[in-house]
Amino acid sequence: SPTRGKGRRLSRSTEFQRVYRQGRSKANRYLVLYSFARGDGADEDSRFGVSVGRKIGNAVMRNRVKRTIREALDQLEPNMADGLDYVVLARPDIVELLERDGMHGVRDSLAELITAGQ
């Protein structure tokens, strides 16, 4: 599996909660991007979390969505600000997007939110 050159994953539920509660959000039909400035030094690598809820298909589909979002994040990470925690939340329409446009559709949808957030 590809390893992230810099940055790491958000893992603990408390980290996700803080991003949801204190972060800013941008949304489109397919994804919600939360970003939270940790404030422990802006040169810190960003950290990423991906959240795919039960509304999105069965476990196989949820995992496929998660993998695709992580892959899109890997490609887009150079354009993202350092020192932030990001959580990408998948919305139910993501399944349709993934089946229609694959990885590129998901990446474009995420890129739109990243650009809007800067």
Side-chain angles (χ1 to χ4, degrees):
S1 71
T3 53
R4 186 162 257 112
K6 56 182 201 139
R8 61 185 198 78
R9 283 188 190 168
L10 290 178
S11 52
R12 294 194 298 278
S13 148
T14 52
E15 294 173 331
F16 276 84
Q17 289 308 319
R18 187 175 64 169
V19 177
Y20 290 138
R21 276 205 311 273
Q22 299 174 36
R24 303 200 330 223
S25 68
K26 294 268 182 282
N28 57 28
R29 212 179 119 194
Y30 307 108
L31 298 165
V32 185
L33 176 69
Y34 292 89
S35 58
F36 170 68
R38 290 201 303 280
D40 54 9
D43 55 346
E44 287 274 313
D45 288 340
S46 289
R47 301 185 303 176
F48 300 92
V50 175
S51 177
V52 179
R54 287 268 160 84
K55 284 184 186 150
I56 295 166
N58 59 16
V60 174
M61 179 51 80
R62 288 197 299 273
N63 284 324
R64 187 173 150 213
V65 167
K66 262 186 261 192
R67 272 197 313 275
T68 308
I69 291 173
R70 287 202 183 106
E71 196 181 327
L73 279 168
D74 279 340
Q75 294 183 15
L76 294 168
E77 193 189 7
N79 313 321
M80 298 172 84
D82 283 339
L84 294 174
D85 285 347
Y86 292 98
V87 174
V88 181
L89 178 68
R91 303 176 96 169
D93 281 345
I94 192 87
V95 174
E96 177 201 325
L97 176 71
L98 184 54
E99 295 188 332
R100 193 182 64 227
D101 301 333
M103 171 42 215
H104 297 295
V106 174
R107 190 187 60 213
D108 292 349
S109 179
L110 188 55
E112 184 189 299
L113 296 178
I114 291 167
T115 313
Q118 289 181 352

